[in-house]
Amino acid sequence: MKKITVLLLWLFVGGAPLWAMPSQITFQGTLKQDSVPVNIAKNMQFSFVDASGTSIPGTVPIAIANVQVTDGLFAVPLPLDPTIPWDQYQPFIQVSVEGQTLIPNQPINANVYSMVANTVVDGAITYAKLATSVQAVTVPPGAVMAYDGSVAPAGWLLSDGSAVNRTTYAGLFAVIGINHGSGDGTSTFNLPDYRGRFLRGQDQATGRDPDAGTRTAMNAGGNIGDAIGSVEGGATAMPNNNFATDKSGAHTHQYLRPVHGNGDQTGSNGTNWIISSDQYGTTGQPEGTADGVHAHKVIGGDYETRPVNASVNFIIKY
């Protein structure tokens, strides 16, 4: 008995559409007879059939004589007719060797054969079609990273709030949606705008962001409240140990007392008052009594409260 298997079977994604099939694929397989690998040329025929085994309309069997089989291995190029609507079928290849049809028929799709042909068809390989184990070691759409360059690398965009196309960046849109803004409301969406901003984890009702409920949208149509993509302005919390001036409550203030030009304080007509450098008085009525409870302003400060920091760009994977 002869048995054939497809060496690349582990790469196939069952039911994947063939809307982007290349013009030629390479079929690789193994051929054994009585469990022994074949080492001889064989006449083979390859037919394109659907899941039921019925020939796909527009295709014809491809007969190839004297296919060299070495240690059971063989490979043959198979042309594909680009006029055939492959997306309407779930295609398989039916293989016959020396007139004997082998089973099972082998499924094909655009992804694997674009790779076998050393050509990756645009759009044929998407993140969702990768094996779970491969996805686990790749950077998923929506990941954000600090970046020291000024131009985003391939596969990434600057997190600058730009409105980008929902179809062109469908993978990213599927993850972040309109979290950061709805763009034009139909065909675009906003990237996050992290310029000049620190990032903060979503509160998720932990109470660590006491103003989470009043967070606002980063761009029009974006999320508000305790949701990814929302923003909030600067704030200064009341310190655990309240600020106080060095003098508070009821107290007096010392001042330089004006005196007459003759040096005494009895006064006389026509003598100017002057400020003496050594004559001090205190506020209050009568002098020396407390002015009553009052406070003083605290002045100074900077434009914002911030830790020591360094500037970077943030980029987002699409």
Side-chain angles (χ1 to χ4, degrees), residues 253-294:
H253 296 270
Q254 190 179 64
Y255 68 96
L256 284 170
R257 187 190 346 242
V259 298
H260 283 96
N262 60 11
D264 63 37
Q265 301 188 36
T266 59
S268 63
N269 293 332
T271 304
N272 295 328
W273 289 88
I274 63 172
I275 301 298
S276 174
S277 62
D278 58 356
Q279 296 291 320
Y280 291 95
T282 55
T283 58
Q285 183 62 38
E287 184 175 4
T289 60
D291 286 338
V293 177
H294 63 284

Side-chain angles (χ1 to χ4, degrees), residues 2 60 187 194 211 276:
K2 301 172 184 177
V60 294
S187 62
Y194 294 143
D211 297 321
S276 174

